[in-house]
């Protein structure tokens, strides 16, 4: 799944690597691998139809 961080648009699009509970590991184009707490940040899902 491809996502974006709503507060960090400069990170670009990220690909979800794993989900364990509320912990989501995402590999972003311009920030690398980042661990996101889904209880704190609601990631925006990229619309595959636009690609």
């Amino acid at each position: 799944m491809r996502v974006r961080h709503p507060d960090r648009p400069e990170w670009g699009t990220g690909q979800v690597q794993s989900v364990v509970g509320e912990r989501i590991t995402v590999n972003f184009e311009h920030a690398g691998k980042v661990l996101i707490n889904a209880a704190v940040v609601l990631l925006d899902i990229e619309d595959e139809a636009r690609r």
Side-chain angles (χ1 to χ4, degrees):
M1 176 179 290
R2 309 237 0 128
V3 297
R4 289 189 177 270
H5 190 299
D7 299 328
R8 302 282 189 253
E10 68 274 11
W11 288 1
T13 302
Q15 183 172 10
V16 174
Q17 301 294 299
S18 68
V19 178
V20 179
E22 293 186 338
R23 300 173 74 158
I24 305 171
T25 303
V26 182
N27 190 14
F28 287 98
E29 292 174 313
H30 305 293
K33 201 170 280 190
V34 179
L35 181 62
I36 305 287
N37 183 343
V40 177
V41 177
L42 181 60
L43 295 170
D44 295 329
I45 298 171
E46 280 287 288
D47 181 6
E48 292 295 325
R50 289 188 300 167
R51 304 184 102 221

